[in-house]
Amino acid sequence: FFPFFSSVGALCSPMLLSTFSHFSLFHMAANMYVLWSFSSSIVSLLGCEQFIAVYLSAGVISTFVSYVAKMATGRFEPSLGASGAIMTVLAAVCTKMPEAKLAIVFLPMFTFTAGS
């Protein structure tokens, strides 16, 4: 009974921890800016517990998909799930609030709706 759970933990822990990993300081800064921009909207819609569940689930799933894609292509680089989790938060906001106005960080003069 216990050996099963310890082996599952050994397999899942790296995927869970990769949800908080980044390739560079710029990568982390960009992800944190997007998370800061959109998290309050989705937390108000889903609640804190559901937001954390969505974020962590998306991080683990995106890390797993990255592992599979890299194994299929023969590339053996690190797989990190932080960006996948952040993009899931962005997708949730765009899905739940399609009329919200968005802009690209470096081009703030061009706005568009979340639905587009």
Side-chain angles (χ1 to χ4, degrees):
F1 182 73
F2 289 107
F4 173 75
F5 284 113
S6 67
S7 65
V8 169
L11 292 174
C12 294
S13 295
M15 288 194 286
L16 181 64
L17 293 175
S18 73
T19 303
F20 304 102
S21 301
H22 298 86
F23 282 116
S24 67
L25 188 59
F26 178 77
H27 181 219
M28 184 175 81
N31 276 347
M32 292 303 102
Y33 176 75
V34 172
L35 185 61
W36 174 75
S37 299
F38 293 99
S39 63
S40 61
S41 300
I42 200 66
V43 168
S44 67
L45 288 171
L46 296 179
C48 187
E49 294 84 6
Q50 290 296 321
F51 169 76
I52 292 171
V54 167
Y55 182 86
L56 293 177
S57 298
V60 169
I61 291 168
S62 64
T63 299
F64 178 73
V65 170
S66 177
Y67 282 151
V68 170
K70 287 181 180 182
M71 293 299 287
T73 60
R75 297 181 340 198
F76 300 103
E77 303 161 348
S79 292
L80 304 175
S83 294
I86 303 270
M87 291 303 113
T88 300
V89 170
L90 177 60
V93 170
C94 291
T95 302
K96 296 286 188 179
M97 306 168 79
E99 70 285 344
K101 288 285 190 185
L102 303 178
I104 298 172
V105 175
F106 303 113
L107 300 170
M109 67 290 285
F110 299 110
T111 61
F112 51 93
T113 63
S116 62

